[in-house]
Amino acid sequence: LEAGVASTDWPGMSACMTDLLQNNVSFSNEMQMVPNEKLLRDFLCLLVQGKPINGSDDDDIILGFVITVTDVTRIKMMQRQRLDDAEAHRKQQEAFTDMICHEIRNPLNAIFNNC
C-alpha cells in the first residue's frame, strides 16, 4: 500500500496505524493515491478510518480491528470545482463592479465640472 500512497500522506497514515495498534486509538485520515502504471491510472482520494475492537468496555485487550476505506475522489473533485466556480464568479463580480464604477464616474465628473 505504501507504494501507491502520496509521499506527503504516508507519514500521517503510518502514525494513525501505529496509534491504532499500540495505543488502542481510533482514527480517521484522508490520503491520496498517486497514479501508477501497476496500480492506478488516475488520482484517487481515500478516507481511511480505523477502530479497535476490545474484549469489553473496561478491557484493554484488543480482539481485532475494523478498518474502512471510502473513495472520496468524486467529493473532492466536486469541492474543487465549486471553489473554482466561486472564484470565477467573484472575478466576474469584480469586473462588473469596476466597469459600472467607471461608467458612472465619467458622466458624473462631466456634470460636476460643468456646474
Side-chain angles (χ1 to χ4, degrees):
L1 185 64
E2 180 180 354
V5 177
S7 60
T8 55
D9 293 340
W10 182 249
M13 192 67 222
S14 179
C16 287
M17 294 298 286
T18 301
D19 263 356
L20 176 67
L21 295 171
Q22 294 178 353
N23 303 324
N24 201 16
V25 176
S26 297
F27 73 90
S28 180
N29 192 26
E30 282 188 17
M31 68 178 187
Q32 292 182 5
M33 301 290 287
V34 293
N36 180 316
E37 291 178 12
K38 295 178 183 176
L39 298 175
L40 295 171
R41 292 184 196 164
D42 298 320
F43 156 84
L44 187 65
C45 189
L46 302 174
L47 175 64
V48 182
Q49 298 173 309
K51 180 176 178 155
I53 300 173
N54 298 334
S56 64
D57 292 338
D58 58 350
D59 194 3
D60 286 338
I61 297 172
I62 299 174
L63 297 178
F65 305 97
V66 174
I67 297 192
T68 59
V69 179
T70 307
D71 182 0
V72 292
T73 306
R74 182 174 291 153
I75 294 168
K76 291 294 180 184
M77 290 173 73
M78 288 181 354
Q79 286 175 341
R80 184 173 293 149
Q81 182 63 42
R82 278 185 276 175
L83 286 174
D84 291 346
D85 291 347
E87 180 67 20
H89 182 69
R90 184 188 62 78
K91 286 181 180 180
Q92 286 176 345
Q93 283 181 327
E94 286 178 1
F96 177 77
T97 303
D98 290 345
M99 181 191 67
I100 292 298
C101 288
H102 178 74
E103 294 297 325
I104 291 174
R105 185 177 53 240
N106 285 347
L108 287 176
N109 283 339
I111 293 170
F112 288 134
N113 288 334
N114 290 328
C115 289

